[in-house]
Structures are given as structure tokens and as C-alpha cells.
Amino acid sequence: MSKPDSTVTVAANFLRTIIRDDLESGKHQSIVTRFPPEPNGYLHIGHAKSICLNFGMAEEFGGVCHLRFDDTNPAKEDLEYVESIKDDVRWLGFQWDGEVRYASDYFDQLHEWAVYLIEQGKAYVCDLSPEQAREYRGSLTEPGKNSPFRERSVAENLDLFARMKAGEFADGARALRAKIDMASPNMNLRDPILYRIRHAHHHQTGDKWCIYPSYDFTHGQSDAIELITHSMCTLEFEDHRPLYEWFLEQLPVPAHPRQYEFARLNLNYTITSKRKLKLLVDEGHVNGWNDPRMSTISGFRRRGYTPASIRNFCDMIGVNRAGGIVDMGMLEFCIREDLDANASRAMCVLNPIKVVITNYPEGQVEQLELPRHPKQDMGTRTLPFSRELYIDASDYEEEPPKGFKRLVPGGEVRLRGSYVIRADEAIRDADGNIIELRCSYDENTLGKNPEGRKVKGVIHWVPAAESVECEVRLYDRLFKTANPDKNEDGSDAESFLDNINPNSLTVLTGCRAEPSLASAEVGQGFQFEREGYFCLDSEDSSADHLVFNRTVTLRDSWGQ
């Protein structure tokens, strides 16, 4: 995997210091990390930070990283999500150690440990309904109270738990809970649930189980089974750490991993809640999980972001516990930096108007060689030049604004990599709209600028006959406010859906691209000169219908 771009500043990472100290002190001979996503949705940019951290630290210090799916809730999980997550990790440039792991691989062991806790008098079967259990739990200002079923005998608890496993009871009728402290100031220690009854088919274990362990009971023990040394997760799990450690202390686990928390990634003009992302998809506000406007990794990939740009972004923001909001412009800066250095140049006219060069010989075609990149050695591409071509309609103004350096009546511009032309006449339709320009060219201006000739403007163009028609999709930010949960005046929005940007997608048809773009490949980035960075759409494009997505505009506003 390539290292971060040398132009990108790597920010502080306090976990790097911890890992280095643990290795130097001999606390660990090597490190083992894990990335444990839930297969209940597609990964988003926040997960990319966690992926880069867990896999990146393992790689940097010569350790290994496991990919383990936390598949404890089959009602919300799907194999589609499993496969998409594996694709995302691989696309970012990482490879997990060994086979893909699942929390469900450990269901038998977890069940044994649940029985062990019952036998030790540290777990009991509770008959409270979910509503009653919430009432008994108390609040942040009031202690909870013990369940009336808390003092059941070990024998009765073992019998009821076995019958739960056998499927005798309905969903929600009973739950297995840890016996800790209902008066604890930490709500997570108030007799948390270990197992729930769920008669649901599981994508890995089929119908073997009708009871499923909770995340809190599964997470630490799975880490212990896999001999994880550094269990890194976001700050919302900080209050869960005492419970994580309580389970490890009570059970005969093979190792005692340590949990560390870091601030999650919060990006403005973006949401990273799986529930909200799923709502956008389910209600049709976007065209699927990989819509280029989505904050999902697959959405960024389809839009034309590169693995290197996202890894560089994660290095720039660093790893700390302070949190804060990261400017979307920072991510856009990273993709511009990567594509500026590595994307081939091409020309595409988004709003074409025909130009006829009246003094150019009819039937003559010149094959012009243009570099694919102004600084990198990427070879050349061929552009046919003849009597008829297309330029962008915005590059001609009869009443130009101040500072306009493009084509005007009687004025001259240089066509990129070609000749200087002069606008002689504008042809209009019956409604007065300009539909064609008649121009003349200077045959002595190909590839050079004669002394005394001053032409300020350079515009892009494509040949009329050989250019290929295409569709271009211009993407903007999905939300019109920096915080989608807030209105533009700062008040709370009734719904984040109210702040969807109605102009987040503009579809342009009838665009004309230079011939070399007919062989564009999915995943290949291009700079359309003067228009931005683009890529071929992976879903809707075909040999007969080219569709290009704008990855990002040319202008970089971050840090200005």
C-alpha cells in the first residue's frame, strides 16, 4: 500500500504513542488490532477513520488486524452489507489477517460463559418486560431498583436459560441479565442484558439460535478470544469500558485486552448516522447506498475519490479525544491534491455550441498530440482538428463583463493545444438564440505564440465529428447547512431531511467529450480542463451511454 502523500501533514495520534510505549516496555511482543463493524448498513467516512487507524497501526508496528463482524442482531443484518464492508476495506488498501471473523463464531463459547456467570451467582433470568426494565433502571439522577427476579436461585436460572435457548418463550418474554449494581452511577453497570430472545434466522448460523448475546457481552470476550492487544473504539464507548472490564474480570478468558477510545469523525454538511443514511435510501432521497452524494465509502468511490485521498485525509485529521467538526473542504483538498498529481487531463464541453472555422480547408483533418498531464509523464492523446468543433457556450459573450478573457465579437482566443481563432459572426435561431459561431483561424499559431501577438484567453474545445456524446452529473453537497440537524438560522430542524440541498445533483445531457474519453475506465480519474475532476460512473455508464460524475470542482476553498 502506498504511503500518505508527502504534501499531506500527518497530525498527532495519541494511540501511536501508547502502542509504541507498550512494545518498547515489553508489555506486548506484537500488536493485534481489530475492526468490528456491524453488518447492518454500508460503511461511511467515519468508519474509514477507524479502518485506517486499526489497520494502519497494525501495519506500522508490524502487527496484524482482524476483520470481525459484530453480527449479534440478525433482524437488522444482511449479507449484502457483509460483502460491501469487505469490498470497502480492500478498496482502501488494507487486508485483514487470516479469514474473516464473526462474533457468531464464538456463540457457543459465549453461551458457556453466560452459564458460568449464572453458576457463579452473577447472572439471572429476568421476566420484566422491556418497558418495565427501563422503569426499574432509573435515570441519570435516580438510582435503579432491583428486579423482583434478581434473587432467583442458580438452579432456577439455569433451567430458565436452557428453556430460553430451547425456544420455549416468545421474543421479549425473558432476558438474561448480569447481576452488578442497580445503584451504580454508570447506567451501563445497572444489571445489563446479556442475552435476548430473538426467533430470527441468522445469516451465518441459520436457525441454530433463538437467543442472541448483547454487544456489550460479546465485544470484550471476542477481543479476548482473538488475543486483541489494543481494542480501539470511539468515545461513545468510554462509559461502556467499566462493563467491558467487569466481564473480563469475572470470566476465565484467555487474555485481558485493553480498550482505548478516540473522538469520532464529525464532518460538516454530512451525516454519518446509519439510521439516517438508511432513511435517505429507503425513502428515495438518494439513489442507493452508493449514491455519490452519500457519505458512504462506496458513495465516495463511485464519485471518484481515491483510496489515497481518504487515507491522507485520515492522517491529516489525526487521532485525539477532543473531537470537533472537520471541514468538508479538508476532505475535498485531499482529493484535489491526489487527482491534480495523478489524473489524466482531457477536454469535455458541458454546454456545447458549434464553431465553424470558415477559412480552414474543408475535408482537412490534423491529428494534434496533447500531453495527458502537464507535469507527469503519462504519454499523449490524439485530438483531431478540423473545420467544425464545439466550445462551451459560456466562452462567448457579446457583451462581456469586466475581466472576461474569452471569446467576444472580433476578439481572439487560443484553443487549448491548437490555433488562435477570431469570432467573426454569431448565427441565431428564430428566437434569437445563438446556435453557431463563425470564426477564422491563424494558421501560423499552432503550438507557438508569435512575437507581438497577445492572446489572453485559452479555452477548451472538442472536434465536432469525432467527439463523443455523454451525460455529465454535477454533484454538490447533499445538505445545504453545515449541521443538517440545524436550519440556516441556527434553529433546530424538525427533520434533517428538511435541509437536503435541492441542487445537490445537476444532470447535463448532450455534452461532448474528446475521443480519448470513449475508452475511459471505471475508477480512472480525469481533470476536465477548466471544469473539475471527473470519473466514469460505475453504475449507469455503458459503451453506448457514457456518464461522468464530477468528483470535485477545481477551486479549493479550504484554508483560504
Side-chain angles (χ1 to χ4, degrees), residues 424-455:
D424 299 322
E425 182 184 3
I427 307 301
R428 302 175 184 274
D429 62 15
D431 296 322
N433 301 309
I434 298 174
I435 58 173
E436 183 179 299
L437 295 177
R438 301 287 173 87
C439 298
S440 54
Y441 87 117
D442 185 339
E443 62 180 337
N444 297 313
T445 55
L446 180 62
K448 54 189 175 181
N449 192 10
E451 185 177 351
R453 173 67 75 104
K454 295 182 179 180
V455 180

Side-chain angles (χ1 to χ4, degrees), residues 14 16 59 308 313 510 549:
F14 78 98
R16 176 182 285 113
E59 183 179 83
F313 170 68
N549 297 328

Side-chain angles (χ1 to χ4, degrees), residues 23 70 80 115 209-210 229 276-277 294 344 430 481 504 539:
L23 290 172
D70 172 38
E80 174 189 351
V115 171
W209 299 91
C210 62
T229 58
K276 291 179 178 179
L277 291 171
M294 289 278 273
S344 177
T481 56
S504 61
E539 296 285 327

